[in-house]
Amino acid sequence: MNTTDRLAPYGVVRHWILLLCLLLALPHVQAEPLSIGINAMWGPGDEPTLRKRFQKARALGVTQVRLDWEWRRVEATRGKYNWRSMDTLVRVAHEEGIELLPIVHYAPNWALRPESKPTDVYEMAPKEEAFADYARFLKACIERYGPGGKAKVPFTPILYWQVWNEPNIKNFWGPEPDAAAFTRLMRLVQRETRALRPAAKLVHAGLSKSDLIFFWQLWEADPHYGDTFDIMAVHPYLFDWWDGVREPDEMDDDDSEYAALGVVGSHNDPGYLGKVFNLQLMMTLKGYPGKPIWITEMGYFVADNRLGVTDAEQARRLRDTVDFVELRLTDKPFGQGNQGELAANVQRLYWFSLEDYPSPDGLGTFGVFRSNGTQRPAAEALRNEVNQVSAP
């Protein structure tokens, strides 16, 4: 990642402290109760498979499903849209009572950067010349399947659209992350979809962990970056290559300079769940207080290694994680001191994932359902958590 080691130049911290104090004096933004969704696969995209997946989600009490919405499936030829696969998806979701959160990504071949894809990269970033094509595609999707959409099949209007996935790591923005480029993509999306908002809302790409450095770089590239999205998103996984799997309530020591701003913990290790709060803090500092945050991925994979957990441990950690998010990261002030006056405002959590999935690196065992269709203990744990957070 191309980055500096500091959030702000030396000598500017006192300015930000003053600004923070002023912003924290603003009226409190009323947060919504936490709701729980789940991540599911789209592929292979046939009707029977989709229907079974949506029925599994409903059996858990979940009606909100996040899944890939592949640009390459629709616009394989530039300027020509084939909506057949999407029509099937939205119709089946409607029939099964599912609210979709599409992750709009995976560029078609003609839109990709020209470099060869490294083996450790899942998807390459689109080339700069194709950013406008992506924005037009997203607009066309909203016009067809969003509020007032013109699709010829029965569908539940899709209100929320997520713009890409984890652009702060090379795995989903190959060959390497580029915050400035991503801001340009977001600006084009904003301009194309301006007339469709706020009826349809843009969810920011989920950041891989609470990456405060990349987050700050977005605003360095565009001081009004907060105008480009309605909801911030993050994937605060707690497995760490050195520490193993962390507990939801763990936190490293504060950095004294950044603690003066209200930053929780150090800024150079984003792998703690409470650091979701830092994203809300930074949005407040930048003049966008109270913007909702969604955790669009969170989970634990089952494996016999230091980064994995057992079946029973996955269920226990699911309960502890949901409880921590609900009790500490929704509408209650977080922490002490400056940050104690501000809530993280997390409003949704999409668990990862419904089912195990094929994975060349062996990390595909996140499912509350195993690949053979049987339930893990985490399935019942998730069902109980959904019932609890939805209870009056």
Side-chain angles (χ1 to χ4, degrees), residues 28-53:
H28 176 68
V29 177
Q30 183 64 43
E32 297 179 5
L34 181 71
S35 62
I36 299 176
I38 200 161
N39 285 267
M41 292 181 289
W42 178 27
D46 60 288
E47 180 172 338
T49 302
L50 288 171
R51 194 175 297 281
K52 287 179 182 177
R53 285 181 183 147

Side-chain angles (χ1 to χ4, degrees), residues 71 119 141 260 291 322 334:
W71 180 15
T119 55
C141 291
K291 202 176 272 284
V322 175
F334 185 89

Side-chain angles (χ1 to χ4, degrees), residues 80-186:
K80 295 183 178 180
Y81 298 149
N82 182 342
W83 297 108
R84 183 176 303 171
S85 58
M86 298 304 184
D87 281 352
T88 298
L89 170 62
V90 300
R91 176 178 56 79
V92 176
H94 173 74
E95 291 168 356
E96 297 299 333
I98 294 295
E99 174 193 338
L100 295 175
L101 173 60
I103 321 159
V104 185
H105 65 146
Y106 284 115
N109 288 335
W110 58 264
L112 290 172
R113 290 175 60 115
E115 300 96 327
S116 297
K117 185 168 77 68
T119 55
D120 57 348
V121 169
Y122 300 135
E123 63 174 310
M124 294 290 282
K127 57 189 176 183
E128 188 97 19
E129 311 90 88
F131 285 4
D133 295 276
Y134 174 88
R136 285 190 291 269
F137 169 66
L138 181 49
K139 178 185 179 184
C141 291
I142 298 173
E143 289 176 334
R144 186 175 179 88
Y145 303 114
K150 301 175 176 62
K152 303 301 183 185
V153 297
F155 70 99
T156 301
I158 301 173
L159 306 181
Y160 303 100
W161 297 82
Q162 191 161 32
V163 185
W164 215 263
N165 184 61
E166 299 188 352
N168 61 316
I169 58 174
K170 66 179 181 180
N171 306 78
F172 290 98
W173 190 271
E176 62 182 2
D178 186 337
F182 194 73
T183 63
R184 293 192 292 273
L185 176 70
M186 290 295 293

Side-chain angles (χ1 to χ4, degrees), residues 52-69:
K52 287 179 182 177
R53 285 181 183 147
F54 294 152
Q55 289 173 352
K56 282 182 180 178
R58 288 299 303 267
L60 299 174
V62 174
T63 59
Q64 298 164 348
V65 174
R66 175 180 181 261
L67 41 61
D68 293 325
W69 184 279

Side-chain angles (χ1 to χ4, degrees), residues 148-220:
K150 301 175 176 62
K152 303 301 183 185
V153 297
F155 70 99
T156 301
I158 301 173
L159 306 181
Y160 303 100
W161 297 82
Q162 191 161 32
V163 185
W164 215 263
N165 184 61
E166 299 188 352
N168 61 316
I169 58 174
K170 66 179 181 180
N171 306 78
F172 290 98
W173 190 271
E176 62 182 2
D178 186 337
F182 194 73
T183 63
R184 293 192 292 273
L185 176 70
M186 290 295 293
R187 272 293 171 194
L188 288 170
V189 168
Q190 180 206 18
R191 290 167 189 162
E192 280 290 338
T193 61
R194 184 182 292 117
L196 305 174
R197 294 167 68 194
K201 296 186 181 294
L202 299 180
V203 181
H204 195 278
L207 296 185
S208 176
K209 300 194 175 182
S210 301
D211 186 346
L212 203 55
I213 299 296
F214 186 85
F215 198 60
W216 193 272
Q217 290 175 334
L218 295 170
W219 263 273
E220 286 182 331

